[in-house]
Amino acid sequence: MTNPFLLARWSPYAVGAGIGVLSWIAFLLSDKAIGCSTPFARASGAIEALFRGDRARLRPYYLEVKPSFGWDGALVIGALAGAAISSLLSGSFRLEWVPPRWEAFFGGSAWARWAAALTGGVLMGFGSRWANGCTSGHGISGTLQLALSGWVAVAAFFAGGVAAAFLLFGTG
């Protein structure tokens, strides 16, 4: 039997089941849903509070989203560390500044790729804060709780993803 920790790709069904179990554990232990965008907002507030003190903590947004580093921040770091460890164990780790598919459509400029990734990340950050949740908050935790907003968000995520893929890469 193959050791699953040495595989380059895992079954999406197994990963989905694992995320579901993680969500149950999060609800059980913290009474909170998992999400990955709020930790970034909290961390940015904590960094701002280092320099501005209470002026940062008293901002209306940070009165609602407390600047701190908590378990959800550890979740984000754990996801990054888990991905790195998994790719190292499977032997699939490699530094790749410009993915081949991107290069085929847009050229080999790493700066252009980074600018596009940064722009997309900033837009996703604003969007997730605007919508009061990200893909994991609405998509995983929202649908897990059978929230209508979660299902609408997931439908919008897929529609937006398909539209962006066609816009960027066409049908070929």
Side-chain angles (χ1 to χ4, degrees):
M1 181 174 172
T2 305
N3 183 342
F5 294 108
L6 301 179
L7 296 174
R9 292 177 183 230
W10 289 10
S11 161
Y13 304 109
V15 172
I19 291 172
V21 170
L22 178 64
S23 294
W24 294 339
I25 292 170
F27 275 120
L28 185 67
L29 297 179
S30 69
D31 200 26
K32 293 184 178 174
I34 62 170
C36 290
S37 59
T38 302
F40 286 99
R42 291 184 195 282
S44 68
I47 291 169
E48 184 179 348
L50 283 175
F51 297 101
R52 298 187 66 225
D54 283 339
R55 287 185 296 171
R57 287 186 197 90
L58 295 175
R59 298 179 93 179
Y61 182 77
Y62 293 131
L63 290 174
E64 183 180 334
V65 178
K66 303 289 184 204
S68 65
F69 181 81
W71 70 270
D72 49 359
L75 175 71
V76 171
I77 291 171
L80 292 172
I85 291 168
S86 176
S87 68
L88 289 170
L89 287 175
S90 69
S92 62
F93 179 83
R94 67 181 184 281
L95 291 176
E96 186 175 88
W97 302 111
V98 180
R101 187 163 176 96
W102 177 275
E103 186 174 359
F105 282 93
F106 302 108
S109 170
W111 291 108
R113 172 69 175 128
W114 282 52
L118 179 64
T119 301
V122 168
L123 290 174
M124 280 192 65
F126 275 112
S128 65
R129 293 293 79 209
W130 217 348
N132 204 20
C134 59
T135 51
S136 55
H138 284 293
I140 297 169
S141 299
T143 55
L144 183 76
Q145 298 173 78
L146 301 178
L148 178 61
S149 61
W151 291 100
V152 170
V154 167
F157 296 154
F158 275 96
V162 169
F166 277 117
L167 183 67
L168 290 175
F169 300 113
T171 56

